Amino acid sequence: MAVKTPVYKAPPAAAVYSWTGFYVGGNLGYSWGRSGSDWNTSALNISGGNPACQFAGTSFCVTGTDTNKLNGAIGGVQAGYNWQTGQFLAGVETDFQWSRQRGSRLFNTGFDVGLGLPPGTLSANYTEKLAWLGTLRGRFGYAADRWLVYATGGLAYGRVSIDGTATATGSDQIAALIGLTTAPCAVSGPLGFGACPFASFSNSVNKVGWTLGAGAEGAIAGNWSWKIEYLHVDLGKVSTTFATLPGCYGSSSGNQGACTFAAAGSGTISRGITDEIVRVGINYRFGSGPVVASY
């Protein structure tokens, strides 16, 4: 009697998702930015003097530091290409974001006029905005079938702006005694001391910096996938220069007052702009979709 040899069938080949291919998509998220500012202004006394910041009436100088928050919604579009080998992935992605990030601040800093008087105050009311932001990044990840985790980093660029005005305590009445014509001050103290117009400033500039982050992506159906991503963006330093108005800037105490007769001068605001972004999005990949694994 013949013995039948059993026949074993190989299990069906499994379909493994492939991330290779060109893709496009959109995203929406929230960003919280930070602007750290260094303020420096200087003006000579009307009679001249040393341009360095010194007392004895030779110059009028104000310095200070401030921090502003630029928070708001952000959203845009992205496109890229993935190359997958085994479970490892490399790719490149670019995106462009429209931003509603903005922050307004009232910055106060003191300046000393000597004579034992309380310090005067420089007050700056200003608004900063991030109008748009873009990146060009590499992506390096690990794929587990329909799941992908990745690190990303590269170039960042954006448009940042600042607009504002500043006042300094002083006296237009004392300035008038020596024939110095200045803008009217909002008088609130003795001897005509109050908040005097000091400067106005406005600047909008495109900046280039860098970005690093990480994300995860999951296939939904067909060639569609969802993503979640975090990016840290650093746009570097932004400098804004402005002219200061002439005036008699100082402070008053009781029936005493003192101010420096300052000529027109100049000032700078040097700001470091950073941003933290969390966003979700959706992609459509123009690829082959799932591929059959070979055994």
Side-chain angles (χ1 to χ4, degrees):
M1 180 177 178
V3 178
K4 292 183 178 181
T5 303
V7 177
Y8 296 96
K9 294 183 178 181
V16 179
Y17 193 84
S18 171
W19 291 92
T20 294
F22 174 75
Y23 63 89
V24 296
N27 66 82
L28 183 66
Y30 190 80
S31 183
W32 56 103
R34 181 181 182 276
S35 170
S37 302
D38 294 320
W39 298 68
N40 292 277
T41 70
S42 64
L44 291 179
N45 186 282
I46 291 296
S47 61
N50 192 321
C53 287
Q54 298 179 356
F55 294 118
T58 58
S59 59
F60 169 68
C61 301
V62 185
T63 62
T65 59
D66 189 35
T67 300
N68 194 14
K69 295 179 180 179
L70 284 68
N71 300 338
I74 196 166
V77 293
Q78 70 268 355
Y81 191 90
N82 293 323
W83 295 269
Q84 183 178 349
T85 301
Q87 291 183 293
F88 296 98
L89 176 140
V92 61
E93 180 175 292
T94 184
D95 68 90
F96 186 88
Q97 309 292 127
W98 290 271
S99 171
R100 295 185 61 85
Q101 288 183 251
R102 60 183 294 159
S104 296
R105 284 278 295 170
L106 176 59
F107 167 56
N108 294 313
T109 188
F111 58 87
D112 196 348
V113 294
L115 302 178
L117 294 176
T121 301
L122 173 75
S123 296
N125 198 333
Y126 66 98
T127 297
E128 293 177 283
K129 298 178 183 178
L130 177 63
W132 51 261
L133 178 72
T135 72
L136 177 61
R137 296 169 285 109
R139 296 208 309 172
F140 304 94
Y142 179 84
D145 195 18
R146 302 175 71 86
W147 291 92
L148 170 67
V149 292
Y150 60 88
T152 184
L155 180 75
Y157 54 94
R159 187 166 187 86
V160 293
S161 64
I162 185 171
D163 295 277
T165 59
T167 62
T169 54
S171 172
D172 53 356
Q173 296 181 26
I174 295 179
L177 294 177
I178 67 165
L180 179 60
T181 302
T182 64
C185 302
V187 177
S188 60
L191 300 177
F193 276 80
C196 301
F198 182 67
S200 62
F201 45 89
S202 179
N203 187 32
S204 185
V205 63
N206 297 338
K207 286 293 295 180
V208 176
W210 56 270
T211 181
L212 285 175
E217 194 166 348
I220 303 172
N223 287 9
W224 290 96
S225 62
W226 63 268
K227 65 180 288 185
I228 184 170
E229 189 173 65
Y230 161 78
L231 293 178
H232 169 80
V233 176
D234 190 326
L235 292 178
K237 288 285 186 179
V238 180
S239 292
T240 299
T241 61
F242 56 91
T244 63
L245 297 173
C248 191
Y249 302 110
S251 66
S252 66
S253 177
N255 293 321
Q256 293 183 331
C259 58
T260 296
F261 295 100
S266 63
T268 61
I269 310 169
S270 181
R271 300 172 291 144
I273 310 292
T274 58
D275 214 12
E276 315 298 330
I277 300 171
V278 173
R279 59 191 182 184
V280 295
I282 190 167
N283 285 329
Y284 181 83
R285 195 188 69 265
F286 298 93
S288 59
V291 297
V292 176
S294 59
Y295 290 92

